[in-house]
Amino acid sequence: MDLTPKVKFLGLTFDVTLMIGSVISALIVMLIVFLLSRRLTVRPNGRQNVMEYIIDFVSGVTGMMLEKKESARYLSFALTTFLFILVANLLGVIVMVTATASGPIPSLGITAAGLKMANNSVSWFKSPTSDINVTVAMAGAIFLYSHFAGIAKSPLGYLHHYVKPFWWMLPIHIIDEVSKPATHALRLWANIFAGEVLILILREGAFYFTGIPLFAWMGFSVFVGCIQAYIFTVLAMVYIAQKVGEE
């Protein structure tokens, strides 16, 4: 496995590869939305049609979980979540940047022992979602937001949920709530991480032997990346809807 450069700041360790991948993913999402939403017309053109299709698709996701008025409030959130995860998932399939280090770089946490184990190979770019820290952070943020939204809308209704249909189900509801961000994060991470590991393994093999499986797996990884972006967004809206939905 390639080394990943890390920096320490205020006692915390930051993965440079993930920082680069996350920033680039966010910039690509901003660029896509900016280019597709410029010069809007009553009669949509090609670019506007693409943007409207994406919005309609995500609107369908929010509409499945919430009433029309309520779902419109979360459309921007769901759209941003879907596009960011989609781009982040696909970046690792399309682009993987590695470099060869001629010596240790202490400022980036690259040691001689680490270089020896990694054959002097250092990773500079990969899918942010292939790291469990990123997916846990996103799932955790959604988890906290859904609870805050539920409390803000109806404190009594939020608390009453934990003792329905019987009061003795309170521990079961708590276990269910705690497990949600874990499964939410692990599902996305495991799929993207496993896909990238296999791509790296096939890439290191002889091209005449691994070339066709490599391209086939890359195509399948694109499909998996799209599906996982959809699933993550749907689950995020399910969790929010459970807290703010009228039912």
Side-chain angles (χ1 to χ4, degrees):
M1 186 65 66
D2 298 335
L3 278 179
T4 55
K6 297 178 174 63
V7 295
K8 291 187 177 182
F9 182 71
L10 298 178
L12 300 175
T13 301
F14 298 90
D15 191 322
V16 176
T17 306
L18 295 180
M19 294 167 63
I20 294 173
S22 299
V23 170
I24 291 179
S25 298
L27 291 176
I28 290 176
V29 171
M30 291 177 60
L31 182 62
I32 290 174
V33 174
F34 176 75
L35 292 177
L36 296 182
S37 60
R38 291 187 66 197
R39 300 176 182 175
L40 300 179
T41 60
V42 177
R43 181 174 298 176
N45 54 24
R47 291 181 302 175
Q48 187 174 336
N49 280 329
V50 173
M51 192 67 224
E52 289 186 3
Y53 173 78
I54 295 173
I55 293 175
D56 287 342
F57 175 76
V58 178
S59 179
V61 173
T62 60
M64 289 190 299
M65 315 300 170
L66 296 164
E67 297 293 333
K68 184 176 181 180
K69 182 179 180 181
E70 196 74 34
S71 66
R73 296 179 54 190
Y74 296 96
L75 178 59
S76 297
F77 166 80
L79 179 64
T80 305
T81 301
F82 174 74
L83 288 178
F84 177 81
I85 295 176
L86 177 64
V87 171
N89 289 350
L90 299 183
L91 279 180
V93 178
I94 300 171
V95 181
M96 284 189 185
V97 179
T98 58
T100 300
S102 57
I105 310 175
S107 61
L108 294 178
I110 300 175
T111 62
L115 286 174
K116 185 177 181 180
M117 293 179 61
N119 295 321
N120 294 337
S121 182
V122 179
S123 174
W124 285 99
F125 190 88
K126 63 179 181 180
S127 294
T129 47
S130 67
D131 190 284
I132 194 170
N133 295 291
V134 174
T135 59
V136 166
M138 291 191 297
I142 291 170
F143 170 77
L144 293 175
Y145 176 73
S146 65
H147 285 276
F148 286 139
I151 293 172
K153 182 172 183 179
S154 176
L156 292 178
Y158 169 83
L159 294 174
H160 188 231
H161 158 75
Y162 288 95
V163 293
K164 290 175 61 178
F166 308 105
W167 67 266
W168 50 263
M169 293 190 68
L170 175 62
I172 298 175
H173 282 299
I174 293 176
I175 293 173
D176 177 56
E177 292 297 333
V178 172
S179 66
K180 284 177 181 177
T183 56
H184 199 191
L186 290 175
R187 182 182 290 105
L188 175 60
W189 165 75
N191 280 276
I192 305 306
F193 176 74
E196 288 199 359
V197 169
L198 188 54
I199 289 175
L200 288 172
I201 294 173
L202 293 173
R203 193 181 65 177
E204 296 299 322
F207 185 76
Y208 61 85
F209 183 71
T210 62
I212 293 178
L214 173 60
F215 286 112
W217 183 255
M218 289 177 67
F220 181 70
S221 294
V222 170
F223 172 74
V224 170
C226 296
I227 293 298
Q228 288 303 315
Y230 171 75
I231 292 175
F232 191 93
T233 306
V234 168
L235 289 177
M237 292 309 305
V238 168
Y239 299 153
I240 292 174
Q242 289 175 344
K243 302 297 181 296
V244 303
E246 293 298 330
E247 295 84 357

